[in-house]
């Protein structure tokens, strides 16, 4: 039991990386380099943010090929089939019926520009 | 000889055409299972076309989404929580498991998974310290940091549902309860999952598979996305084996539940659909055969509450 408390205090020292004065008030004022803030202001401002980690798992349900995230339109694009899946409120909608056909004209223009 | 051929023929029929359910004179509701024409399926006790079923199911859940959790508690008198807890105990996930929860809507299974994995991790740390194994300082500080940043061991849960209203409710719940890391929400069709092959350790579908239009396709997709060694778990309403309880259950289902649906959610029809769809869903053995047909091995089922619900489990080996 004692060993656990010892390891906890030593761990807190490791995390803070500076001498810890007695009193919880001081701890609250200093930013902790190791720990991530629980309620970041970013999270509150953008609750609808898209999590790019999902791209590892997601593929097109029709062709099972990987997708590309398009930040400008907030969509997941399958270039091969020319369809785009919308992301609404941070939740990607992978139902084929919800997918939008990408305009062929836009696709033809791309090789000309590059 | 003839009997075994008949049985094989029966199973082949079930696997090919889910819509055709031969009535085998199974007590009170044998009439509910009758031959349905090609391209048609059942929506509760009605016969509808397959496309219609998908739309109707979507509308049912779209309208009940906000009151879904309250209705679950009132209809099952809170027992659904125990059923879901038992499912998690049977799953027994270790830190590092990748879970796909299909038809996961409001996130009940996903949140329980996260709690379970976290407590497993804390238990492991306690055990290590108790047995005086010396963890290096790096390991200890890492364990404190990981708690803040992500789920222990890199566990991940993806909640997939065809209905975005249900997912919205789930996402809001997650924000209220403080679940954020290791949890993802995707709108997808269980029959056409937007995931690559061999991705997940566990696939669960709790109270969702009876609403799928093509159950065999959903089972095949489940097989596809699971890693070799992965586990399929299905928690679903099933056939009651005790005749007395069966009668009480039927009375409760048809007299009380739709009324509760009207009072609490303002939607009689959706809850009428719910109780009818339970009656239409294949019994334990039949569903076990369907799971086996998809390629799963060591398929077993476990009855809960005298068969009101059953947990079917299979492995991709």
């Amino acid at each position: 039991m004692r060993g656990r408390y010892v390891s906890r205090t030593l761990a807190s020292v490791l995390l803070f990386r500076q001498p810890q004065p007695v009193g919880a008030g001081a701890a609250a004022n200093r930013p902790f380099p190791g720990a991530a803030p629980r309620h970041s202001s970013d999270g509150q401002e953008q609750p609808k943010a898209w999590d790019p980690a999902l791209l590892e798992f997601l593929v097109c349900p029709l062709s099972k090929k990987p997708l590309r995230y398009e930040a400008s339109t907030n969509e997941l694009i399958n270039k091969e089939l020319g369809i785009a899946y919308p992301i609404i409120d941070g939740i990607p909608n992978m139902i084929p019926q919800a997918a939008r056909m990408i305009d062929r004209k836009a696709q033809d223009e791309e090789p000309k520009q590059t | 000889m003839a009997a075994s051929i008949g049985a094989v023929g029966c199973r082949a029929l079930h696997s090919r055409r889910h819509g055709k359910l031969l009535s085998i004179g199974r007590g009170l509701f044998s009439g509910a299972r009758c031959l349905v024409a090609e391209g048609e399926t059942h929506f509760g006790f009605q016969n509808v076309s397959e496309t219609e079923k998908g739309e109707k199911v979507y509308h049912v859940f779209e309208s009940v989404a906000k009151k879904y959790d309250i209705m679950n508690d009132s209809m099952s008198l809170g027992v659904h929580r125990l059923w879901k807890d038992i499912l998690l105990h049977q799953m027994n996930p270790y830190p590092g498991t990748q879970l796909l929860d299909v038809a996961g809507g409001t996130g009940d299974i996903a949140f329980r998974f996260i709690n379970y994995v976290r407590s497993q991790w804390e238990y492991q740390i306690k055990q290590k310290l108790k047995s005086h194994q010396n963890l290096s300082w790096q390991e200890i500080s890492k364990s404190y940091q990981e708690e803040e940043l992500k789920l222990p061991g890199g566990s991940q849960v993806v909640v997939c549902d065809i209905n975005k209203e249900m997912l919205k409710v789930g996402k809001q719940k997650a924000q209220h309860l403080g679940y954020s890391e290791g949890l993802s929400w995707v709108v997808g069709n269980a029959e056409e999952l937007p995931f690559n092959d061999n991705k997940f350790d566990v696939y669960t579908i709790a109270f969702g598979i009876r609403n799928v239009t093509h159950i065999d396709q959903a089972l095949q997709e489940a097989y596809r996305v699971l890693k070799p060694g992965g586990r399929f778990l299905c928690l679903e309403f099933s056939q009651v084996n005790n005749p007395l309880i069966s009668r009480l259950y039927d009375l409760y289902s048809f007299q009380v539940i739709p009324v509760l649906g009207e009072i609490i959610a303002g939607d009689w029809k959706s809850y009428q659909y719910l109780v009818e769809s339970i009656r239409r869903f294949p019994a334990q053995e039949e569903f076990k055969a369907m799971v086996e047909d998809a390629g799963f091995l060591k398929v077993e089922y476990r009855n809960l509450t005298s068969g009101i619900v059953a947990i079917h489990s299979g492995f991709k080996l």
Side-chain angles (χ1 to χ4, degrees):
Chain A
M1 277 299 268
R2 207 197 298 164
R4 199 160 115 221
Y5 289 119
V6 168
S7 57
R8 267 192 189 247
T9 22
L10 284 168
S12 58
V13 168
L14 268 171
L15 285 174
F16 301 162
R17 290 184 212 152
Q18 42 197 317
Q20 183 67 28
V22 177
N29 289 336
R30 274 177 233 197
F32 307 146
R38 279 219 186 100
H39 294 293
S40 62
S41 53
D42 282 320
Q44 301 241 323
E45 276 162 15
Q46 296 169 7
K48 308 171 180 187
W50 151 251
D51 180 14
L54 252 186
L55 264 178
E56 267 180 60
F57 289 101
L58 283 180
V59 296
C60 172
L62 297 168
S63 65
K64 312 295 183 204
K65 292 278 161 63
L67 300 159
R68 181 173 61 86
Y69 173 59
E70 180 62 59
S72 53
T73 52
N74 207 28
E75 286 177 333
L76 291 166
I77 308 221
N78 179 343
K79 203 153 186 200
E80 232 180 286
L81 293 175
I83 48 178
Y85 295 96
I87 300 175
I88 305 169
D89 289 339
I91 304 176
N93 189 332
M94 311 303 297
I95 309 279
Q97 288 91 335
R100 179 179 73 87
M101 289 288 292
I102 296 180
D103 204 12
R104 273 207 195 142
K105 236 187 181 177
Q107 272 192 335
D108 287 337
E109 275 174 27
E110 268 173 33
K112 282 188 197 164
Q113 283 171 2
T114 52
Chain B
M1 257 296 258
S4 64
I5 293 173
V8 165
C10 236
R11 272 189 54 174
L13 202 62
H14 284 307
S15 62
R16 259 183 257 130
R17 307 218 177 114
H18 70 276
K20 293 197 183 196
L21 294 168
L22 297 167
S23 79
I24 310 172
R26 215 180 262 149
L28 262 159
F29 286 95
S30 59
R33 294 150 177 261
C34 45
L35 279 168
V36 175
E38 182 79 59
E40 275 207 341
T41 180
H42 50 81
F43 178 76
F45 290 156
Q46 298 169 32
N47 285 341
V48 298
S49 74
E50 291 174 349
T51 33
E52 252 190 286
K53 169 155 183 172
E55 284 167 15
K56 286 190 155 194
V57 168
Y58 190 90
H59 286 308
V60 163
F61 285 94
E62 196 180 25
S63 76
V64 307
K66 299 219 165 85
K67 298 286 176 83
Y68 187 72
D69 292 322
I70 302 179
M71 276 305 297
N72 279 350
D73 275 331
S74 26
M75 287 190 293
S76 66
L77 306 169
V79 181
H80 75 106
R81 295 167 186 241
L82 292 176
W83 292 330
K84 289 168 182 166
D85 289 338
I86 294 175
L87 178 71
L88 254 297
H89 276 279
Q90 191 163 342
M91 190 199 300
N92 197 18
Y94 53 84
T97 302
Q98 314 287 309
L99 169 68
L100 173 63
D101 183 23
V102 177
T106 49
D108 280 343
I109 304 293
F111 303 151
R112 283 174 169 75
F113 171 82
I114 294 175
N115 290 341
Y116 199 97
V117 157
R118 279 191 185 147
S119 65
Q120 286 278 66
W121 181 253
E122 283 166 12
Y123 179 73
Q124 275 178 11
I125 299 265
K126 268 191 205 165
Q127 289 292 90
K128 271 191 185 161
L129 292 171
K130 257 191 205 167
S131 60
H132 301 293
Q133 275 182 23
N134 290 319
L135 297 177
S136 70
W137 297 127
Q138 276 125 348
E139 279 179 22
I140 297 178
S141 67
K142 205 170 134 199
S143 73
Y144 281 99
Q145 284 181 9
E146 266 186 12
E147 255 176 53
E148 307 276 343
L149 292 173
K150 51 184 187 221
L151 287 182
S155 315
Q156 262 260 345
V157 52
V158 179
V159 181
C160 179
D161 199 298
I162 200 169
N163 197 307
K164 54 182 180 321
E165 301 304 317
M166 294 286 279
L167 287 176
K168 268 195 210 162
V169 172
K171 207 167 182 207
Q172 281 169 8
K173 237 168 84 177
Q175 275 171 4
H176 280 148
L177 297 171
Y179 296 102
S180 53
E181 297 309 324
L183 177 59
S184 310
W185 308 86
V186 177
V187 177
N189 189 340
E191 299 170 16
E192 259 183 323
L193 289 173
F195 304 108
N196 234 333
D197 302 359
N198 306 327
K199 274 284 175 184
F200 296 98
D201 295 307
V202 185
Y203 172 110
T204 49
I205 183 164
F207 300 121
I209 203 158
R210 71 176 189 285
N211 300 311
V212 172
T213 315
H214 299 104
I215 296 180
D216 49 352
Q217 279 183 31
L219 292 172
Q220 279 169 23
E221 280 291 277
Y223 191 84
R224 182 181 67 81
V225 300
L226 276 174
K227 287 183 196 163
R231 188 171 197 183
F232 166 85
L233 282 166
C234 171
L235 175 66
E236 189 55 81
F237 289 108
S238 205
Q239 301 297 312
V240 180
N241 38 31
N242 181 319
L244 173 65
I245 298 187
S246 171
R247 235 180 274 172
L248 291 171
Y249 179 53
D250 289 336
L251 204 69
Y252 181 74
S253 296
F254 286 93
Q255 306 304 327
V256 178
I257 289 183
V259 176
L260 277 178
E262 183 58 42
I263 297 173
I264 300 179
D267 195 341
W268 174 290
K269 274 196 178 151
S270 296
Y271 289 92
Q272 183 71 23
Y273 161 72
L274 170 77
V275 295
E276 290 177 1
S277 66
I278 294 174
R279 296 298 175 294
R280 281 291 211 162
F281 188 70
Q284 285 87 330
E285 281 295 335
E286 230 177 288
F287 187 62
K288 176 181 168 199
M290 289 170 82
V291 176
E292 283 171 345
D293 283 341
F296 290 102
L297 297 175
K298 206 167 180 314
V299 181
E300 293 171 339
Y301 64 84
R302 182 178 160 187
N303 282 333
L304 303 178
T305 329
S306 338
I308 295 184
V309 298
I311 297 180
H312 281 79
S313 154
F315 289 89
K316 173 175 178 173
L317 295 170

